[in-house]
Amino acid sequence: MSSNVTVIVPTFNRSKYLPACLESLLAQSDAADRIIVVDDGSTDGTAGILKTFRDRIECVRQDNQGKAAALNRAMPMVESEYVWVFDDDDVALPDAITLHLNALDGSGHGFSYASYQRATTNADGSLQPGPVRQAESYDDRALFIDLLEENLLPQPSIIVRNECYKKLGPFDERLVRSQDYDMLLRLSRSYTAVAVAGITYYYRLHDGARGSGNDNFAFSAVNDKWIKYDQIIFDGLYEKLALWEYLPEVSTEHTLTPQQRQRALIKRFSVMMRYCLWDSAMADLTDLLRESLADASLSDGERQILHRIFENRALLMFRWGYDGSRIRKELRGGNRKLADQIRVELSKSLYYELNRDLAGGNRRDALRIAARLVPLLGLRGLLAASSAK
């Protein structure tokens, strides 16, 4: 019986990991209708490996143009109802397609998404399973809202209806990195999704090179490359998304109440901060303090949004031009009561990262964060942070 799923595997110089990837896809309990591998101009042993699978997969080769171009080459070839884009260094679990189809068939959702398990590679080439990244279940637009802060779902986590890809158009070939994140945001903005019950693949962690032939980079540069290309995405979203789209409970455009506008500005400010788009973030902070009602205060949800700004990326933000004194200057204008509350939540966010580094014995990074606390927050914010639980 046909699964009505086509798998696309773009690959570039991953001969070390590609065999395990393809074997796992060929071992699915519900077999894929087709597995299309696009060799994006590999210069290692990839061509030879693909020959050993030639009777079981379809291969397309092109000059190196990047992952997005490789995907765009394969997408017009798809005739099935569903598409699963799978990374060439990951390993699928045997029931992955079955679990996705159980959730997606007849559901009316545009795509399904699943949990995955991180894994490292042992000396003998076998995988060493690690922590599980559990996919939460979301209602309506809430998935899109959370994805604005972080890419929670690597591309192998999702299986998508082919018609959705066709309507959204091609992957953005400007993006050497984060082309999957860009497409995921486009998908979750336009379509609802359903969570899959179970883990569907191993997400392999390794120190191999990333990128394309024209922009190849070491594992140590991954986070900086992500920010570089994420900025292209979010610079466009700042202009494209209406303010109401930052609120999960609002599904259509309408005039926002003062409280809704405050929450939307806080959300967009936090998103732009996390992606180091400082001018956009400061514009929202200025508007927030200028427009807020005299008796405005932060809700618990707004405090949580602000508290997440520096989560897992404080040092990255510092490298990308973070200027605490600029925020402190903006907090001096407009509604002082609200500004003081924002200052406290920012201090908690940084102080939490500092304490986490200290607890992990990473004193050097803790000192780097501490060095930013006083210039950013002043004595009042620092005292609030140190007294916060």
Side-chain angles (χ1 to χ4, degrees), residues 196-314:
V196 169
I199 300 167
T200 58
Y201 71 101
Y202 290 121
Y203 180 92
R204 189 193 296 269
L205 302 171
H206 62 88
D207 59 2
R210 268 77 170 169
S212 66
N214 293 327
D215 191 2
N216 198 246
F217 50 90
F219 172 73
S220 59
V222 164
N223 288 333
D224 288 296
K225 287 293 183 178
W226 265 328
I227 285 292
K228 174 183 176 180
Y229 291 105
D230 286 349
Q231 285 188 334
I232 296 174
I233 298 170
F234 282 89
D235 208 24
L237 287 177
Y238 189 84
E239 300 299 327
K240 185 183 301 183
L241 293 183
L243 197 55
W244 65 266
E245 294 187 80
Y246 290 85
L247 300 175
E249 74 276 15
V250 180
S251 58
T252 57
E253 185 169 5
H254 71 278
T255 301
L256 299 179
T257 67
Q259 291 79 12
Q260 288 176 326
R261 182 169 175 80
Q262 172 177 306
R263 189 160 66 255
L265 282 170
I266 287 173
K267 178 69 175 184
R268 192 168 68 179
F269 163 72
S270 72
V271 169
M272 296 304 141
M273 284 284 290
R274 284 179 65 79
Y275 294 102
C276 307
L277 292 168
W278 312 122
D279 289 345
S280 297
M282 292 306 101
D284 282 343
L285 183 58
T286 299
D287 287 347
L288 173 65
L289 296 175
R290 186 181 67 241
E291 298 175 8
S292 59
L293 300 174
D295 60 346
S297 61
L298 294 176
S299 67
D300 289 343
E302 290 165 351
R303 292 178 190 277
Q304 291 172 12
I305 292 171
L306 292 168
H307 200 183
R308 292 194 299 267
I309 285 180
F310 295 103
E311 187 175 20
N312 297 324
R313 62 172 65 197

Side-chain angles (χ1 to χ4, degrees), residues 349-366:
S349 181
L350 267 179
Y351 206 72
Y352 176 83
E353 297 299 305
L354 185 154
N355 282 333
R356 190 178 64 170
D357 282 332
L358 285 176
N362 196 345
R363 296 178 60 85
R364 181 179 179 184
D365 287 348

Side-chain angles (χ1 to χ4, degrees), residues 34 65 73 245 258 265 316:
R34 303 166 70 188
Q65 300 172 55
R73 176 75 179 273
E245 294 187 80
L265 282 170
L316 182 64

